[in-house]
Amino acid sequence: LARLRTGTAPDEVHVAAEDVPHADDREALTSAEVVFGSCPPALLPLAPALRWIQLDSVGCDQYLALDWGRLGNRLTVTNLRGFFSAAVAETGIAGVLTLLRGIDDLMAARPDRTWQQAELRPRIRTLRGARVLILGNGSIGRAIRERLVPFGCEIVTYGTSHSGADLVTAAELDSELPSCDVVFLALPGTPATRSEERRVGKECRSR
């Protein structure tokens, strides 16, 4: 923060509350030209001087419903695309390994110091050789794929036609889902991706 104040002097730097904006936060936003972080979407039309928002997240779906035909003439929004890719990919794979290897059940049995070999062994499996579907071929989806390759998985990707994904249509996705052992959902949270989420949910519930 000190470096930001020094670098932007003599302009004023206002630090807003992290949760609910206070009255002085709203007042500062109405005259701000640059915002670092996320702010309530409803306040953006009330900030005529605002020219740039640098979000503190990858997702920007909370701003999609705004009138960008008007706001887009003066306002640029940038996000942290790629910044969290490695962390999100490794966390997702760790979660899958936890389920496949029964680590969650082992941790639950730890307080009793019981070894549930007979119960666990029929349920656990390895990630090696699994057919994995990655929905979303952006920076997070590609990071997941990169980290899965050494496991010897059979990897299929789904995304937009310009993303380079293996599957690009809803029909291809519907055909692929029943044969997959593992599905990673790495699509942006937009109205356009809701149908893919519902397809995955329907397939999971049917198993």
Side-chain angles (χ1 to χ4, degrees), residues 50-171:
L50 192 59
R51 296 293 179 267
W52 176 36
I53 301 178
Q54 170 58 60
L55 300 177
D56 57 2
S57 63
V58 177
C60 56
D61 47 300
Q62 66 268 37
Y63 301 103
L64 296 180
L66 295 175
D67 183 5
W68 287 105
R70 182 168 58 87
L71 289 175
N73 293 325
R74 66 170 174 84
L75 179 60
T76 298
V77 179
T78 52
N79 64 358
L80 292 180
R81 180 181 181 182
F83 187 83
F84 300 108
S85 298
V88 172
E90 292 175 15
T91 300
I93 293 172
V96 168
L97 286 170
T98 296
L99 294 174
L100 291 180
R101 301 304 303 157
I103 304 299
D104 52 337
D105 291 324
L106 291 174
M107 292 303 295
R110 184 178 179 184
D112 298 330
R113 296 181 178 272
T114 58
W115 173 231
Q116 301 176 351
Q117 178 177 354
E119 295 85 354
L120 277 177
R121 182 157 292 178
R123 302 202 307 265
I124 62 175
R125 57 164 297 172
T126 65
L127 188 54
R128 184 172 184 81
R131 186 169 181 84
V132 177
L133 173 63
I134 304 172
L135 274 72
N137 204 36
S139 59
I140 292 176
R142 291 193 298 270
I144 293 171
R145 181 187 183 110
E146 176 185 343
R147 286 158 176 77
L148 286 177
V149 168
F151 284 96
C153 302
E154 186 178 357
I155 305 168
V156 182
T157 57
Y158 170 83
T160 58
S161 56
H162 64 268
S163 70
D166 303 311
L167 313 175
V168 297
T169 68

